Amino acid sequence: MQLTKSLSFLIALCLALPATAEQGRFSVSVAGFGAGTIAYSGSESGGRYKANGQVASSGLARGLYPANITVAVNGSVSGNRYAPATYSEKTVKRGKTKTGTFRFSGGTPRVTKNPPDKNRKSYHANASGQKGTVDPMTAAFAILRDRPADLACNLDISPYDGRERTRIRMDGGTRKGNTLTCPGTYSRVAGFSPKDMAEKVHWPFTVIYKIQSDGTHRVTEVVVPTTLGKVRMRRR
């Protein structure tokens, strides 16, 4: 997986809600070199959820992908099933600002970009065909948030970023002491170039939880293998 694709997946991730909300901050490294930070905050109540995030590149990644990204989403949730309502994003890259909004109706996103996305390719997936998908922040929140035992290592979600659709699955897990290691698979589904699809469709990743004294499972690390080495997210 190319570095920018890997970062896009991680940037599948991530301001701050009130102090009572769950929060997390992770450092990101690529092949042992610092690449940036990811922070998220979110809450769930009465079948509704809100989540916000911020990603900032640094070091190696800043040279290749200099960006600061803030995102926010709200929607409904039941267990590990999410139905986003509205998602917004703001990207500042090399002094230029881009914004985007996803509004979901009947599970299908309607995407607005400012400025308009002029770099779309013929193979990119149209939003009208993405019913049942979620936005990148929802996917990130679903992976990184604290979970009870019955919901940890148990996820099947399809993120769509306005161009590409992927699928993220987590199932099973191995417990050792107060640590649960969860295998996952990231799959390219639609919107990718023929070259990307020929390169590889399925990518393994690992999520490591630390089990808290009250039984809550908290993510401490996410590991994604790439052609440039392992991308690691470690909770700070």
Side-chain angles (χ1 to χ4, degrees):
M1 187 187 296
Q2 299 171 358
L3 176 58
T4 53
K5 295 290 185 182
S6 305
L7 292 174
S8 294
F9 164 67
L10 293 175
I11 287 173
L13 310 179
C14 318
L15 270 140
L17 290 172
T20 56
E22 176 190 333
Q23 299 182 30
R25 182 176 295 274
F26 294 80
S27 60
V28 181
S29 65
V30 180
F33 295 93
T37 59
I38 291 172
Y40 82 93
S41 185
S43 63
E44 177 183 339
S45 179
R48 305 288 300 178
Y49 75 98
K50 294 181 179 180
N52 299 260
Q54 185 173 39
V55 179
S57 59
S58 64
L60 173 64
R62 189 168 184 81
L64 296 173
Y65 195 88
N68 188 294
I69 303 168
T70 55
V71 293
V73 66
N74 66 82
S76 59
V77 59
S78 176
N80 276 343
R81 295 187 177 275
Y82 297 80
T86 304
Y87 162 80
S88 62
E89 62 185 20
K90 178 182 177 181
T91 301
V92 180
K93 182 180 179 182
R94 295 189 174 96
K96 297 181 179 181
T97 299
K98 295 182 179 181
T99 61
T101 302
F102 293 22
R103 299 187 184 280
F104 291 80
S105 178
T108 301
R110 185 173 73 251
V111 179
T112 303
K113 297 280 189 176
N114 185 25
D117 186 357
K118 296 181 179 180
N119 294 319
R120 290 187 65 84
K121 306 298 183 182
S122 59
Y123 51 77
H124 285 149
N126 292 324
S128 59
Q130 307 313 313
K131 184 174 182 178
T133 59
V134 301
D135 59 278
M137 183 62 231
T138 294
F141 183 52
I143 295 169
L144 296 178
R145 66 180 302 193
D146 292 353
R147 298 278 71 191
D150 61 327
L151 295 180
C153 288
N154 180 14
L155 185 67
D156 190 342
I157 200 165
S158 294
Y160 173 66
D161 64 4
R163 290 183 178 180
E164 299 167 348
R165 176 175 181 162
T166 58
R167 184 180 181 186
I168 295 171
R169 286 168 288 180
M170 297 163 57
D171 187 24
T174 302
R175 179 169 177 173
K176 185 176 182 180
N178 66 346
T179 298
L180 180 66
T181 301
C182 176
T185 303
Y186 163 88
S187 302
R188 294 167 169 166
V189 176
F192 292 88
S193 71
K195 179 181 179 181
D196 284 340
M197 296 302 286
E199 175 195 28
K200 197 171 183 179
V201 174
H202 305 293
W203 301 83
F205 67 93
T206 303
V207 175
I208 300 173
Y209 295 89
K210 183 177 181 180
I211 304 171
Q212 308 298 297
S213 59
D214 63 356
T216 298
H217 289 55
R218 177 164 295 168
V219 175
T220 59
E221 187 173 10
V222 179
V223 183
V224 185
T226 77
T227 53
L228 295 179
K230 291 182 179 180
V231 173
R232 294 182 181 273
M233 296 174 51
R234 287 192 172 103
R235 186 179 287 267
R236 298 170 61 176

